Amino acid sequence: MLPLPGSPATSWSMFRARFQATFRGVDFKIVSAFWLFGLINNVLYVIILSAALDLVGPNVPKAVVLLADVIPSFLAKLCVPYFIHLVSYPVRVVIFALTSTWGMLLIALTPAYTDGGTITTKMAGVILASLSCGAGELSFLALTHFYGSSSLAAWSSGTGGAGLIGAGAYAVATTTIGLSIRTSLLASAFLPAIMVISFFMVLPRGPLIHSTSRHSGVSQGSVHDQWGNDSSSEESGGTRSREDEALLSDSGDSIVSSKSTRSAAMESFSWRANFVQNLRRSLRLHHLYPPSFLQCLNLVLLILQCLFDYIPSVYIVFFAIFWEGLLGGAVYVNTFALIADEVNPKDREFALAATGLGDSTGIMVAGLLGIGLEEALCGWQVARGRDWCRKL
């Protein structure tokens, strides 16, 4: 039960003590490094989606960019967990950074479609960045296995920050500052260098070196010390269940976040959904299907808004996007937190990496549905005199 108002438990001193206890024993170098990993690994994904209209033009469904940004990541998460352990983490980080930079340079340096540039070349750059993002996500999630629960929380917070910072920075650069799209994308190509600096100069290497030196795979003792639990659950069943929950959540989350289910106002302010990413990561849940189904309900309500324009205020739409972000992020981080609690330590590194497949599957399904849904909803609106979608 919540403490009664005015009781000692509600005093400022008690709140401060609980707040300090939350961070007691936390290594802020680990937290900083994993927050930057989450931010940089995902920020290019957000920037690419923010620039979707500029990349393909108004006559191509934006879900095409979403699919090019998701399918390679999905394939990476499907295949890479089975052999990525053969590559050391330092080498992986360098490869991810170089691949991401190469992809963004390819996108930025290819002439715009209005100047005779080909969409195919830009999509090749998107695919490279997506491969790096997908392999990077499963690798960094597996890396949290050696650094404990604070690293998972920091990673999740960083991915949330990527949504807000990526979309916000692109909007500020291209509108407020007035930089060209090419210059903005070119500047983002150098962001992966921050990931390399974080790994080699910020992250304490002791837990990783200690674990790998004791065993070529996973050091069970060091994992027990870092996570503070000793689970004996079966890996396969638990991981499969968490993949299903992540798939359902991200299908609804990505469709709601895509242009296919938004009016012009929702498109303009879509980045607001990312504002709640850091807040949503702090919610600890043990039953993940209810918030996933609430996301699907949210999707239905917003599709009805596109069809009938029945919501009286745009601020209600903003709240729906806020609520969507809260639900999606809570499911995301708690899926991996439950794996850390339930999966046997010797299987945990692989399980953390492999479960990201459910996340990417949901987003890919959303992209496939979004291609047809966007055109259908836009056609419905235009036929009834609401041609906002044609003017974006």
Side-chain angles (χ1 to χ4, degrees), residues 161-218:
L164 178 62
I165 294 173
Y170 182 79
V172 169
T174 55
T175 57
T176 305
I177 300 177
L179 296 178
S180 66
I181 296 169
R182 180 178 183 274
T183 302
S184 301
L185 293 174
L186 194 60
S188 67
F190 298 96
L191 291 176
I194 298 176
M195 190 163 56
V196 177
I197 294 172
S198 300
F199 184 85
F200 289 100
M201 300 182 65
V202 179
L203 181 68
R205 305 284 292 283
L208 180 61
I209 295 174
H210 176 70
S211 297
T212 55
S213 64
R214 289 185 58 183
H215 195 275
S216 58
V218 176

Side-chain angles (χ1 to χ4, degrees), residues 9-346:
T10 62
S11 65
W12 172 251
S13 59
M14 290 296 295
F15 172 78
R16 183 172 57 187
R18 288 195 297 268
F19 184 80
Q20 291 174 345
T22 302
F23 296 97
R24 187 174 295 121
V26 172
D27 189 328
F28 284 96
K29 286 188 175 181
I30 293 177
V31 171
S32 300
F34 275 92
W35 191 86
L36 289 171
F37 291 154
L39 173 69
I40 302 303
N41 189 72
N42 290 274
V43 75
L44 297 183
Y45 168 84
V46 176
I47 291 174
I48 288 171
L49 293 184
S50 300
L53 181 65
D54 304 314
L55 293 178
V56 300
N59 298 322
V60 178
K62 309 312 166 290
V64 171
V65 180
L66 176 62
L67 288 176
D69 209 12
V70 170
I71 291 179
S73 178
F74 166 79
L75 294 176
K77 292 178 182 179
L78 180 64
C79 304
V80 168
Y82 299 100
F83 61 82
I84 193 67
H85 62 280
L86 301 175
V87 183
S88 66
Y89 280 100
V91 175
R92 296 187 209 179
V93 172
V94 173
I95 292 175
F96 300 153
L98 291 176
T99 305
S100 295
T101 299
W102 184 18
M104 293 305 295
L105 288 174
L106 197 58
I107 296 171
L109 297 178
T110 301
Y113 68 93
T114 54
D115 298 327
T118 63
I119 295 176
T120 304
T121 305
K122 289 184 179 293
M123 290 303 99
V126 173
I127 290 171
L128 286 175
S130 175
L131 286 171
S132 174
C133 179
E137 180 177 352
L138 65 88
S139 290
F140 289 123
L141 282 170
L143 189 62
T144 65
H145 163 77
F146 300 101
Y147 289 92
S149 57
S150 62
S151 63
L152 177 60
W155 160 268
S156 300
S157 177
T159 63
L164 178 62
I165 294 173
Y170 182 79
V172 169
T174 55
T175 57
T176 305
I177 300 177
L179 296 178
S180 66
I181 296 169
R182 180 178 183 274
T183 302
S184 301
L185 293 174
L186 194 60
S188 67
F190 298 96
L191 291 176
I194 298 176
M195 190 163 56
V196 177
I197 294 172
S198 300
F199 184 85
F200 289 100
M201 300 182 65
V202 179
L203 181 68
R205 305 284 292 283
L208 180 61
I209 295 174
H210 176 70
S211 297
T212 55
S213 64
R214 289 185 58 183
H215 195 275
S216 58
V218 176
S219 173
Q220 194 162 341
S222 65
V223 174
H224 173 83
D225 293 338
Q226 292 291 342
W227 286 92
N229 55 47
D230 189 14
S231 172
S232 59
S233 301
E234 290 297 326
E235 181 270 336
S236 58
T239 301
R240 186 178 301 110
S241 174
R242 302 308 171 199
E243 283 184 346
D244 294 340
E245 291 162 339
L247 185 152
L248 179 60
S249 170
D250 282 280
S251 293
D253 199 20
S254 296
I255 295 178
V256 168
S257 299
S258 71
K259 182 184 170 184
S260 60
T261 59
R262 292 199 298 266
S263 64
M266 295 164 74
E267 171 70 17
S268 301
F269 291 93
S270 63
W271 62 269
R272 290 174 183 262
N274 296 304
F275 182 78
V276 297
Q277 298 285 331
N278 291 310
L279 170 65
R280 73 189 194 174
R281 307 302 192 183
S282 65
L283 303 176
R284 187 63 193 271
L285 304 174
H286 293 277
H287 303 285
L288 302 183
Y289 281 112
S292 299
F293 285 117
L294 287 175
Q295 286 183 279
C296 295
L297 177 62
N298 211 31
L299 170 64
V300 173
L301 293 176
L302 292 179
I303 289 178
L304 293 176
Q305 162 64 11
C306 291
L307 294 175
F308 305 111
D309 195 23
Y310 66 95
I311 297 179
S313 172
V314 70
Y315 292 102
I316 299 177
V317 176
F318 293 161
F319 177 78
I321 298 172
F322 179 95
W323 176 239
E324 181 66 30
L326 185 67
L327 292 171
V331 172
Y332 177 88
V333 68
N334 282 284
T335 294
F336 294 103
L338 287 174
I339 288 174
D341 291 341
E342 297 174 358
V343 175
N344 192 296
K346 66 183 179 64

